[in-house]
Each structure stands twice: as C-alpha cells, then as structure tokens.
C-alpha cells in the first residue's frame, strides 16, 4: 500500500515537472508581453498593453493571421476528409499492398520538416504552384492527414464490426450506412481531427516558410519581426497564437477522452 502511494507521488511530481518544463517558456512569454521594458529581463518594468496594441495595429500581422486562419481551416477539412477515407479503408478492407499503403500514409510526420519543406517546394515548383496560399494548403494537408487518420482510426476500433452488416441486412445501401451509422459514430473523432489538424497547420513554420513566398503566415511573420532586432510585440503575437492553438487541442482532447470514457462505461 505504501509502495503504491510512493509510486503515485513520484508520478505526480514527474508529471508536474514535465508540465513546468513545457509551459514555463510560454508563461514567460505571456508575462513579458505585458512588460513595459523592451528587453525580457528581471526585474520587470511596469504593466502595459502597449505591445498588444502595436501587434494588433500591424496590418501585416492581421493579413498573416487571416491567411493562417484560411489555411488552417481549409487544411483541416481536406486533411480530415483524406484521413477519414484512409482510416476507413484500413478498417473495412483488406487489399494487396495494404501494409505499404499504411506505411506511406503515416510517413509524412516522420520526415524532418526541413527535408519535407524542400521536397514540397521542389515538387510545387515543377507546376509553377509555389509561393501561393494554395501551396501552403497542399503542403499542410500532406503533413496533417496522418494525424487525422490516426485519430479517426482509433475511434473506428471502438465500433462494433456487426453494425454495418446489420444495416446492410436491413436494406440500407453502403452510402446510407456510411451516412447513418459510420459517420455519426465517428463524428466526435472527426471534430477532434478538425481541431487538431487546424492547430498543427496554424502553428507550422518550416514548410510554410519555404513554400509561402510573399503569402506569409503568422509564424513566418514572427520570424521576420525577430530577425535583426528584439521586438516585444512578438510575445504578444505568440501569446495570441498559443491561445488559439491550445484551445483547439484541448477541444480535440476532450472529445477523444470523453468518447473513450463512454465506451469504457458501456
């Protein structure tokens, strides 16, 4: 009994340290975004919202934010659609080359982002499609689709394999079964996938930097602001980006965990 308490205590401390390690830099950035001093030093200066006013009055930042929202939204829809198709194909069908298909489908996140960015830039340049907003969407869709596939495939594992055959025996076509059985069952994971892939796309920098050209996203603008000088408005922009991203990730995680609990209870 004492060993169990000790193990729980050690795990609790370890988890707390991990959270501190991950979130301490973000918390520091948030604190310095309200600091009147230009340089991030201790002791802090007075409280100010000057850097937020400067960031939100920057037309380039607003243009990049709008572009990032468009790219993230379109990428989320495309990646989730592709991920759903791939996940369902893996769940329902056995076909020649299935293992190779799964390896290729899950490959993009394992490739270093710089190599992925260079390869994507080279491929898009062959079609004169680099340096446009659609270029970022294509690249991010390739990058995010495996995440969507993994989330939706996890949900499909929880579905009773007899549900679809039962619907077919009752006279439903495959499309009606898909619309009335499969999609409603996987809807929480679809929404979670939309949130997760949107967050990944919104935060992604390396690929967007290579293929965006003059169509900059928020991470690219942050790098340009930082190049050659220290500008505290970066802390303000970064805090806003973090808030958007963490909200999407939390929603996705709540949907996934909520469904998992319901499945365990049933």
């Amino acid at each position: 009994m004492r060993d169990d308490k000790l193990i729980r205590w050690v795990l609790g401390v370890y988890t707390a340290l991990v959270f501190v390690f991950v979130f301490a830099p973000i918390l520091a950035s948030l604190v310095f975004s309200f600091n009147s001093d230009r340089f991030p030093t201790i002791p802090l200066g007075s409280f100010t919202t000057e850097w937020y006013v400067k960031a939100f009055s920057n037309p380039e930042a607003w243009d990049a934010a709008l572009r990032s929202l468009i790219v993230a939204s379109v990428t989320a829809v495309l990646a989730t659609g592709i991920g759903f198709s791939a996940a369902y194909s893996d769940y329902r069908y056995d076909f020649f080359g299935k293992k190779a298909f799964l390896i290729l489908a899950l490959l993009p996140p394992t490739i270093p982002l710089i190599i992925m960015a260079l390869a994507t830039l080279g491929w898009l340049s062959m079609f004169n499609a680099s340096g446009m907003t659609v270029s970022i969407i294509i690249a991010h869709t390739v990058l995010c689709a495996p995440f969507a596939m993994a989330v939706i495939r996890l949900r499909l594992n929880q579905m009773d394999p007899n549900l679809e055959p039962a619907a077919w025996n009752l006279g439903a076509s495959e499309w009606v079964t898909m619309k009335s059985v499969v999609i409603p069952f996987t809807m929480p994971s679809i929404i979670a996938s939309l949130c997760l892939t949107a967050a990944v796309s919104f935060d992604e920098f390396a690929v967007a930097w290579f293929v965006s050209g003059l169509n900059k996203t928020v991470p690219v603008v942050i790098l340009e602001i930082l190049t050659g000088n220290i500008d505290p408005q970066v802390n303000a922009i970064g805090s806003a980006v973090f808030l958007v991203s963490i909200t999407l990730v939390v929603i996705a995680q709540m949907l996934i965990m909520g469904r998992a609990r319901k499945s365990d209870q049933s």
Side-chain angles (χ1 to χ4, degrees):
M1 196 69 178
R2 180 179 295 179
D3 291 340
D4 291 341
K5 289 183 179 180
L6 179 61
I7 291 173
R8 284 198 296 269
W9 184 84
V10 171
L11 289 175
V13 172
Y14 174 77
T15 303
L17 290 174
V18 170
F19 274 97
V20 169
F21 179 79
V22 171
F23 288 104
I26 299 171
L27 180 60
S29 178
L30 177 62
V31 170
F32 286 123
S33 71
F34 293 103
N35 181 30
S36 61
D37 292 343
R38 183 176 183 83
F39 296 94
T41 57
I42 302 294
L44 299 173
S46 58
F47 177 86
T48 182
T49 57
E50 174 188 354
W51 311 121
Y52 284 92
V53 173
K54 184 178 180 181
F56 292 153
S57 62
N58 184 345
E60 187 178 23
W62 278 110
D63 183 61
L66 177 60
R67 184 171 294 106
S68 289
L69 287 173
I70 293 173
V71 168
S73 300
V74 177
T75 296
V77 173
L78 293 176
T80 299
I82 295 171
F84 178 87
S85 301
Y88 184 77
S89 298
D90 176 42
Y91 169 77
R92 175 52 60 190
Y93 303 109
D94 287 322
F95 51 88
F96 176 77
K98 183 175 180 178
K99 289 185 178 179
F101 164 76
L102 293 176
I103 291 172
L104 291 175
L106 298 173
L107 184 62
T110 66
I111 301 174
L113 285 177
I114 295 297
I115 297 176
M116 181 79 174
L118 288 171
T120 304
L121 177 62
W123 183 76
L124 291 173
S125 298
M126 294 173 58
F127 305 97
N128 295 320
S130 60
M132 299 184 291
T133 300
V134 68
S135 309
I136 313 173
I137 293 173
I138 293 172
H140 282 187
T141 299
V142 173
L143 186 65
C144 293
F147 294 104
M149 177 183 175
V151 171
I152 297 171
R153 186 65 181 87
L154 183 66
R155 178 60 177 159
L156 285 171
N157 281 341
Q158 302 170 357
M159 188 168 74
D160 188 336
N162 296 318
L163 282 178
E164 287 182 284
W168 298 335
N169 289 335
L170 292 173
S173 66
E174 291 189 0
W175 286 110
V176 171
T177 302
M178 176 68 69
K179 182 179 71 173
S180 303
V181 177
V182 179
I183 291 180
F185 186 86
T186 56
M187 186 56 67
S189 64
I190 291 174
I191 298 175
S193 171
L194 288 169
C195 294
L196 181 61
T197 52
V200 172
S201 174
F202 195 83
D203 290 340
E204 201 283 323
F205 160 73
V207 176
W209 187 51
F210 273 85
V211 305
S212 62
L214 298 177
N215 299 289
K216 305 165 188 173
T217 59
V218 171
V220 176
V221 168
I222 290 176
L223 175 69
E224 291 188 350
I225 294 174
L226 279 175
T227 302
N229 66 84
I230 297 176
D231 194 331
Q233 70 169 310
V234 169
N235 292 322
I237 298 174
S239 298
V241 170
F242 172 74
L243 181 62
V244 172
S245 301
I246 197 64
T247 299
L248 292 171
V249 172
V250 167
I251 292 173
Q253 189 64 25
M254 288 174 63
L255 288 169
I256 294 172
M257 293 181 65
R259 276 296 173 178
R261 288 197 194 98
K262 287 184 179 179
S263 298
D264 293 340
Q265 291 174 358
S266 61

